[in-house]
C-alpha cells in the first residue's frame, strides 16, 4: 500500500517503543520534512521515526486508515491531499476548518484531529526573523491559491488592519476574501489595482509560484511598486533569494524568505505531537545544509 520514499534521515536505535510519524504526499521525494523532523526528535531525545510516504489520491483513505491501524502518532499532509484528507478525520480544528485545509494530523488513541500549521508557522517566522508584528498593519498578499489561504487567515487573526489579496484571476481573490471574512478585514483585487494597494502597505507577500522552477527568474510584480518602507516577503525557499527579494533589496526594502515558514510549520506540528518546544535552531541548520548541498 505504501512505498517508503526516503530512508530515515538520521541514525537512531529503532525498537518496539519507537513512535512513528510521517508525511503523505505525491510527489513526496523532494520533501525535507523527514530530515528536519528526525533531527528534531533526535535533539529532543525522543524515540521516534519519521518517514515519507508516496500516497496517490486513490489510496488516501486507506493510508489514513493505516494511521489508526498502525498507531502512528502524527502525520503531515502535503500536496495534493490537504483538502481531501479532511473527509477522513474525526475532528478538524476550528482554524483548519476556516482555512479549508489540513497539513498536520494528531492521533490520540485512534481519534484523528486535523490542524493547519502553515499560516501560524508563517506568522511566527515573520516575527522571529524580522520583528514584524501583523497587529494594525496593512498587508498585500499576491496569489489566492492554497498557500494563501492559511497565511491570510493567520495574518488576519494576528490583528492585521487590512489585508488585500491581489491575484491574476481576480475572482479567486474576491472569493478567498469572502471565505475568510470572519477572520478580519480582507478584500480581493485584480493585478490592475495593485499600485494603489502597494502605495499604502507595510508588508507585501508573494504566495504564487512565480519565482520558482519553472518560473525561476520571474517576479510577480513590477519592481517600481516596491518601496523602502515595506517589508517584502516570499514563501518560496528554493531558491533562497527570488527575483522579487533581490529587487526589493535593490530598492532598499527589508526582505523575508520562505525557509522560516517551512521550519515553523514543522515546529508547530512537533509541538502538537509531543507537547515539547521544537529545537528550531537545529531543524533550520539541517535543512539549510541540505539545500546548500542541492
Ligand atoms: P498553491 O497551493 O501553491 O497556492 P494554487 O492553489 O494552484 O497553488 O495557486 C497558485 C497561485 O499562484 C494562484 O494565485 C495563481 O494565480 P491564478 O489564480 O490566476 O491561477 C498564481 N499563479 C500561478 N502561476 C502564475 C503566473 N504565471 N502568474 C501569476 N500568478 C500565477
Amino acid at each position: 500500500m505504501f512505498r517508503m520514499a526516503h530512508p530515515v534521515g538520521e541514525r537512531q536505535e529503532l525498537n518496539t517503543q519507537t513512535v512513528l510519524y510521517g508525511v503523505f504526499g505525491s510527489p513526496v521525494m523532494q520533501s525535507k520534512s523527514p530530515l528536519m523532523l528526525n533531527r528534531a526528535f533526535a535533539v529532543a531525545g525522543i524515540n521516534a521515526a519519521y518517514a515519507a510516504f508516496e500516497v496517490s489520491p486513490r489510496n488516501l483513505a486507506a493510508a489514513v486508515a493505516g494511521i489508526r491501524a498502525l498507531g502512528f502518532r502524527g502525520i503531515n499532509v502535503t500536496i495534493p491531499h490537504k483538502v481531501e484528507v479532511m473527509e477522513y478525520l474525526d475532528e478538524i480544528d476550528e482554524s483548519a476548518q476556516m482555512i479549508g485545509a489540513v497539513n498536520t494530523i494528531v492521533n490520540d488513541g485512534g481519534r484523528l484531529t486535523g490542524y493547519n500549521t502553515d499560516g501560524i508557522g508563517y506568522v511566527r517566522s515573520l516575527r522571529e526573523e524580522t520583528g514584524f508584528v501583523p497587529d494594525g498593519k496593512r498587508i498585500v498578499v499576491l496569489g489566492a491559491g492554497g498557500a494563501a489561504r492559511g497565511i491570510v487567515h493567520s495574518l488576519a487573526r494576528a490583528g492585521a488592519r487590512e489585508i488585500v489579496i491581489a491575484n491574476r484571476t481576480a475572482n479567486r481573490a474576491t472569493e478567498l476574501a469572502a471565505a475568510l471574512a470572519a477572520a478580519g478585514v480582507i478584500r480581493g483585487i485584480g493585478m490592475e489595482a495593485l499600485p494603489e494597494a502597494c502605495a499604502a502597505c507595510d508588508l507585501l507577500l508573494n504566495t504564487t509560484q512565480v519565482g520558482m522552477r519553472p518560473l525561476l527568474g520571474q517576479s510577480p510584480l513590477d519592481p517600481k511598486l516596491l518601496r523602502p518602507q515595506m517589508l517584502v516577503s516570499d514563501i518560496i525557499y528554493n531558491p533562497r533569494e527570488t527575483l522579487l527579494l533581490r529587487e526589493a533589496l535593490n530598492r532598499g526594502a527589508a526582505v523575508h524568505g520562505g525557509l522560516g515558514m517551512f521550519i515553523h510549520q514543522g515546529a508547530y506540528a512537533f509541538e502538537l505531537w509531543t507537547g515539547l518546544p521544537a529545537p528550531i535552531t537545529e531543524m533550520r541548520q539541517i535543512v539549510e545544509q541540505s539545500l546548500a548541498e542541492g
Side-chain angles (χ1 to χ4, degrees):
M1 177 173 45
F2 305 132
R3 192 160 63 81
M4 290 280 259
H6 259 293
V8 175
E10 181 135 344
R11 274 251 160 263
Q12 292 182 44
E13 279 301 321
L14 302 186
N15 54 32
T16 56
Q17 303 303 306
T18 303
V19 180
L20 295 176
Y21 294 86
V23 54
F24 292 172
S26 186
V28 80
M29 295 299 216
Q30 80 302 336
S31 174
K32 302 287 182 205
S33 291
L35 192 68
M36 178 169 76
L37 270 307
N38 283 312
R39 178 80 184 132
F41 290 128
V43 170
I46 296 172
N47 181 0
Y50 184 115
F53 297 91
E54 181 77 31
V55 175
S56 68
R58 72 184 170 81
N59 282 332
L60 183 62
V64 175
I67 301 173
R68 290 192 186 89
L70 302 175
F72 275 65
R73 167 64 178 159
I75 288 288
N76 283 133
V77 182
T78 188
I79 289 166
H81 304 310
K82 289 187 184 187
V83 177
E84 203 206 337
V85 77
M86 296 172 77
E87 285 175 39
Y88 308 119
L89 306 178
D90 300 302
E91 205 173 319
I92 311 282
D93 161 75
E94 188 215 320
S95 299
Q97 233 163 53
M98 198 191 279
I99 292 163
V102 157
N103 79 327
T104 302
I105 299 172
V106 178
N107 180 3
D108 278 310
R111 187 170 174 77
L112 305 186
T113 305
Y115 296 86
N116 193 311
T117 69
D118 287 332
I120 52 176
Y122 175 76
V123 170
R124 186 152 91 176
S125 150
L126 200 57
R127 196 182 53 232
E128 289 199 359
E129 287 155 50
T130 71
F132 184 93
V133 176
D135 195 15
K137 301 297 196 321
R138 293 180 187 275
I139 298 172
V140 172
V141 175
L142 305 177
R149 296 188 76 92
I151 292 174
V152 170
H153 176 268
S154 294
L155 288 169
R157 279 286 164 89
R161 175 168 165 189
E162 182 190 48
I163 301 174
V164 177
I165 304 168
N167 197 43
R168 177 178 63 176
T169 314
N171 69 338
R172 281 189 88 192
T174 48
E175 277 166 29
L176 180 55
L180 298 177
V185 180
I186 307 168
R187 63 192 171 92
I189 61 171
M191 297 302 274
E192 73 292 340
L194 200 52
E196 192 200 333
C198 285
C201 85
D202 304 300
L203 168 67
L204 175 92
L205 147 68
N206 176 45
T207 71
T208 76
Q209 295 101 335
V210 182
M212 67 187 276
R213 229 165 263 113
L215 304 173
L216 196 70
Q218 297 185 33
S219 168
L221 92 172
D222 182 344
K224 290 197 201 75
L225 301 179
L226 301 169
R227 294 175 297 109
Q229 299 81 1
M230 285 176 175
L231 172 62
V232 178
S233 174
D234 201 325
I235 68 164
I236 294 170
Y237 66 85
N238 196 5
R240 296 291 301 275
E241 189 181 86
T242 56
L243 180 59
L244 171 65
L245 295 188
R246 197 151 60 248
E247 288 177 338
L249 283 169
N250 287 341
R251 297 202 152 239
V255 300
H256 170 247
L259 188 59
M261 173 178 170
F262 174 69
I263 308 288
H264 285 283
Q265 62 75 33
Y268 269 115
F270 179 94
E271 290 169 10
L272 285 168
W273 294 328
T274 67
L276 298 170
I280 308 266
T281 308
E282 290 88 348
M283 290 165 74
R284 176 184 293 275
Q285 184 233 329
I286 200 158
V287 176
E288 278 181 350
Q289 185 187 324
S290 163
L291 287 171
E293 285 164 4

